[in-house]
Amino acid sequence: QIKSLIARELKDLIEIRRDLHAHPELNYQEHRTSDVVQRQLSRLNIPFKANIAQTGVVAYLAATTDHGNTLPSVALRADMDALPITEQTGKPYASCNPGVMHACGHDGHTTILLGAARILAALPHRPRPVTFIFQPAEEGGAGGERMCNEGALDGAKSKGSLGNPVGEIFGLHGWPTFPVEHVATRVGPLLASVDDVEITVKGVQSHGAYPHQGYDPITATAHIIAAVQSIASRNVSPLDSVVVTCGEIKAGTANNIIPESCWTHWTVRTLKDSTRKLAKERFIQIATHTAQALGCTAEVTYRESYPVTTNDAHVVAQFFAVAKEVLGESRVSEVQHPTMGGEDFSYYGKKVPACFFFLGLKPSEAGHFPTLHQPDFDFNDDAISTGVEMFVRLATRPV
């Protein structure tokens, strides 16, 4: 019954996905996307609350039995925002918003959750209540944290939700390295914590021909960039993981002027709280002392952002049991090692037992398939039915 219902809805879901793809919106600006979600929920007569965390939407479907409605809700989550990237797919439904595109597949995630809402609303038997979370601002805006803080998991006792409080939550992400109709996850850490760091190194400006008359912040910054790599190579176990990456450098106005300052922007990623603490301490020490040794000062702004995305063992076991029944064991994998990408789904996992899983996107015949955050990436519509069925089957598994 579920498969036939999905097949009936698939054409329309693909149209919705491509419409969302053509109209991408950056974090906390997802007004049109939120309106699409609200219209779809209204058509299904599913109660919802809008404007949670600015543009987020939380919807709720009761169970079909009195006993089911005494149970905690199972939550399904999708993110809605796009990225500041100029699209290069050449697709007829490419972005109409210059400089913004769905390069991470959130258009697909939103569509899959809408599809799950359609199927669940049509089923005669739902053994437990279901909460649908359409979240803004995953891309750096910590929308997941705001949804939690505004009560998306708390049920009717909160202004930000409805029905019963959430007892467990599932989320997915389209994954270009796994084949379509394939899913994968793991117990414990799946994605890394994400910290955002800015350094402003200040020196003394001078003529480029007379460097001895000043203190060069660019040279000091270059030494900092090299020195902080010792955190990974000399401070953290070779069996642990830490990434320290400088992604932006801004300094200077001319080639013959040593500037007064140099600004850099970094991301620091770890998989353990203890490693996260150590990386922060060593980063600040190395930056400030290296700059000082070269006659400069370093102002470090260190912001701890997304936590590690950690999967609960019991909920993951439930996921694997359902996935193997739906797809067969050959299409279900255990992720062997965490990825150093980050996800604000992690905030939900701090509140309730959670399982985040990867949904394969790569066509079976494809030698190359664009990956996330690339300008030629496009979510694979062939993955929609698998994502919808996984969400529906997870929400309707026996109590």
Side-chain angles (χ1 to χ4, degrees), residues 126-251:
R126 292 186 299 274
R128 55 171 67 77
V130 184
T131 299
F132 305 88
I133 298 176
F134 296 88
Q135 178 211 301
E138 190 281 324
E139 297 290 354
E145 181 179 35
R146 287 191 59 180
M147 295 293 283
C148 290
N149 291 343
E150 296 186 25
L153 303 178
D154 298 339
K157 66 181 180 180
S158 164
K159 293 181 180 179
S161 190
L162 307 125
N164 295 0
V166 170
E168 62 187 14
I169 187 169
F170 294 91
L172 60 77
H173 202 300
W175 215 251
T177 58
F178 285 111
V180 72
E181 296 185 341
H182 195 105
V183 295
T185 193
R186 72 191 308 272
V187 173
L190 179 66
L191 294 110
S193 65
V194 180
D195 293 338
D196 182 80
V197 190
E198 295 179 60
I199 305 175
T200 300
V201 176
K202 293 185 177 179
V204 175
Q205 185 167 315
S206 65
H207 195 297
Y210 312 111
H212 58 290
Q213 295 177 356
Y215 291 100
D216 188 347
I218 293 179
T219 296
T221 296
H223 280 271
I224 291 170
I225 291 171
V228 295
Q229 300 309 318
S230 66
I231 297 172
S233 65
R234 291 296 178 268
N235 299 140
V236 173
S237 166
L239 302 180
D240 196 359
S241 299
V242 60
V243 171
V244 182
T245 296
C246 178
E248 292 182 86
I249 303 175
K250 296 179 182 178

Side-chain angles (χ1 to χ4, degrees), residues 53-395:
Q54 291 186 216
T55 55
V57 180
V58 177
Y60 184 82
L61 261 181
T64 54
T65 66
D66 291 340
H67 170 70
N69 285 311
T70 66
L71 300 173
S73 171
V74 56
L76 308 173
R77 172 266 198 176
D79 38 16
M80 303 188 293
D81 57 324
L83 285 158
I85 296 174
T86 299
E87 183 162 352
Q88 298 178 12
T89 63
K91 299 289 179 66
Y93 51 85
S95 172
C96 299
N97 189 356
V100 181
M101 72 167 290
H102 272 296
C104 204
H106 297 185
D107 50 340
H109 305 166
T110 300
T111 302
I112 285 169
L113 190 52
L114 286 172
R118 288 190 180 194
I119 305 308
L120 287 164
L123 290 178
H125 177 64
R126 292 186 299 274
R128 55 171 67 77
V130 184
T131 299
F132 305 88
I133 298 176
F134 296 88
Q135 178 211 301
E138 190 281 324
E139 297 290 354
E145 181 179 35
R146 287 191 59 180
M147 295 293 283
C148 290
N149 291 343
E150 296 186 25
L153 303 178
D154 298 339
K157 66 181 180 180
S158 164
K159 293 181 180 179
S161 190
L162 307 125
N164 295 0
V166 170
E168 62 187 14
I169 187 169
F170 294 91
L172 60 77
H173 202 300
W175 215 251
T177 58
F178 285 111
V180 72
E181 296 185 341
H182 195 105
V183 295
T185 193
R186 72 191 308 272
V187 173
L190 179 66
L191 294 110
S193 65
V194 180
D195 293 338
D196 182 80
V197 190
E198 295 179 60
I199 305 175
T200 300
V201 176
K202 293 185 177 179
V204 175
Q205 185 167 315
S206 65
H207 195 297
Y210 312 111
H212 58 290
Q213 295 177 356
Y215 291 100
D216 188 347
I218 293 179
T219 296
T221 296
H223 280 271
I224 291 170
I225 291 171
V228 295
Q229 300 309 318
S230 66
I231 297 172
S233 65
R234 291 296 178 268
N235 299 140
V236 173
S237 166
L239 302 180
D240 196 359
S241 299
V242 60
V243 171
V244 182
T245 296
C246 178
E248 292 182 86
I249 303 175
K250 296 179 182 178
T253 56
N255 71 335
N256 62 347
I257 302 171
I258 292 174
E260 180 184 17
S261 66
C262 179
W263 174 86
T264 51
H265 196 190
W266 305 68
T267 185
V268 180
R269 313 219 170 186
T270 55
L271 295 172
K272 297 178 182 176
D273 289 341
S274 57
T275 308
R276 189 180 198 182
K277 183 175 181 289
L278 172 65
K280 178 180 180 179
E281 292 173 352
R282 291 297 294 135
F283 188 102
I284 294 172
Q285 290 170 351
I286 291 169
T288 54
H289 294 165
T290 300
Q292 185 180 21
L294 295 168
C296 300
T297 61
E299 298 177 0
V300 181
T301 301
Y302 203 108
R303 293 179 288 268
E304 294 187 4
S305 183
Y306 299 176
V308 176
T309 301
T310 303
N311 281 337
D312 177 82
H314 174 72
V315 182
V316 169
Q318 298 291 305
F319 166 83
F320 277 128
V322 169
K324 289 175 182 178
E325 180 182 352
V326 172
L327 302 175
E329 292 200 15
S330 64
R331 292 178 175 172
V332 181
S333 299
E334 181 177 358
V335 176
Q336 293 301 308
H337 304 287
T339 171
M340 299 308 286
E343 242 290 344
D344 74 350
F345 185 83
S346 53
Y347 290 106
Y348 303 105
K350 292 282 188 180
K351 300 285 187 179
V352 297
C355 175
F356 195 68
F357 63 94
F358 297 148
L359 175 69
L361 297 181
K362 187 176 181 180
S364 57
E365 72 280 1
H368 166 74
F369 189 73
T371 192
L372 306 176
H373 291 214
Q374 291 185 336
D376 56 344
F377 173 82
D378 182 28
F379 192 89
N380 186 352
D381 290 328
D382 291 341
I384 291 175
S385 58
T386 302
V388 171
E389 184 167 8
M390 283 302 306
F391 267 171
V392 171
R393 293 290 297 272
L394 289 166

